[in-house]
Amino acid sequence: VVSPGHELCDPGALVEPGEAIAVCAPTCRFAGRIVFISSQVYTGELGGISGADLKCQALAKGFDLERAHTYRAWLSDGVSEPAATFEHGAMFAATPYVLRNGVKVAASFEDLAQNGPAVGITITDTYEVLVNKNVWTHTTHEGEAVPDMHHCDQWTSNSFKAQAIVGWNIPPEGSPELEAWAEERWWTRYVEKICKDPQHLYCFEN
């Protein structure tokens, strides 16, 4: 479905199998909020959630200078979580999340929470395609903090003794785990990794 007043745009090469729709405005800024996986990796010592947000914003400046300040990391700790800090609800129900090529990830925050991403979050801020990558999250599929203290000491520690939850951005194409990845919402809650090991971030325009 294409929103009135918008044209259908070529989404480029698909990064997952299946049908994908890209929608863009006449100026060809996509009619949605952009989501990307960070091109950089970081230990669990992120400077707290605010530090992770700043990392997303710094990366977003490379392609979206005007809106870079709005990007936030899909990340939780004992105090903050996307369900509470991301803008969502009726006002944003008609604004989908899209990859940098315009392919729709979810129709809204609520759709993302209920059904998961329609495609893996695979395109970086530098427009590289990444698969089979772990991403710091400590966040359930509903955008809430995982109810434990495994969040790298509120994202301030890179200790090998501390752990945190990671998501799996997408298994390799043809993997037998793709079905479980979708059903179990492994994109955001997969396994625990030690905070010393560098991982990616999910960054959402907010």
Side-chain angles (χ1 to χ4, degrees):
V1 177
V2 182
S3 301
H6 296 83
E7 60 181 320
L8 189 64
C9 293
D10 179 7
L14 294 179
V15 292
E16 335 287 354
E19 183 180 1
I21 293 177
V23 180
C24 75
T27 58
C28 231
R29 175 177 173 87
F30 291 111
R33 291 180 288 176
I34 294 173
V35 182
F36 65 88
I37 181 173
S38 66
S39 59
Q40 303 296 313
V41 292
Y42 312 92
T43 69
E45 191 177 12
L46 293 166
I49 287 181
S50 62
D53 290 344
L54 288 173
K55 289 173 172 56
C56 284
Q57 291 164 19
L59 296 176
K61 286 179 180 178
F63 68 91
D64 192 8
L65 186 60
E66 182 180 352
R67 296 279 300 164
H69 66 283
T70 71
Y71 284 76
R72 301 196 64 142
W74 179 268
L75 199 67
S76 301
D77 59 17
V79 177
S80 180
E81 58 190 14
T85 61
F86 278 35
E87 293 180 335
H88 60 97
M91 183 181 300
F92 301 94
T95 308
Y97 290 120
V98 299
L99 299 179
R100 286 201 58 209
N101 61 1
V103 172
K104 186 166 70 174
V105 173
S108 62
F109 184 97
E110 287 72 21
D111 180 40
L112 181 66
Q114 182 174 351
N115 301 307
V119 297
I121 300 171
T122 55
I123 298 182
T124 70
D125 48 285
T126 57
Y127 215 82
E128 180 184 5
V129 176
L130 300 181
V131 299
N132 200 28
K133 300 300 182 183
N134 290 148
V135 184
W136 292 125
T137 65
H138 191 68
T139 303
T140 71
H141 70 277
E142 295 178 325
E144 298 174 348
V146 175
D148 61 35
M149 298 299 289
H150 297 182
H151 44 58
C152 296
D153 193 17
Q154 294 187 311
W155 306 109
T156 63
S157 172
N158 63 0
S159 171
F160 69 90
K161 296 182 180 180
Q163 295 179 313
I165 295 289
V166 299
W168 187 6
N169 81 316
I170 190 75
E173 186 175 350
S175 169
E177 296 175 297
L178 274 168
E179 184 175 351
W181 174 86
E183 291 181 353
E184 301 297 328
R185 308 295 195 267
W186 285 345
W187 75 274
T188 185
R189 187 178 183 180
Y190 181 50
V191 295
E192 289 189 349
K193 295 288 185 178
I194 61 173
C195 300
K196 179 182 177 182
D197 290 345
Q199 313 293 349
H200 296 268
L201 293 171
Y202 290 133
C203 300
F204 282 64
E205 182 182 353
N206 193 37

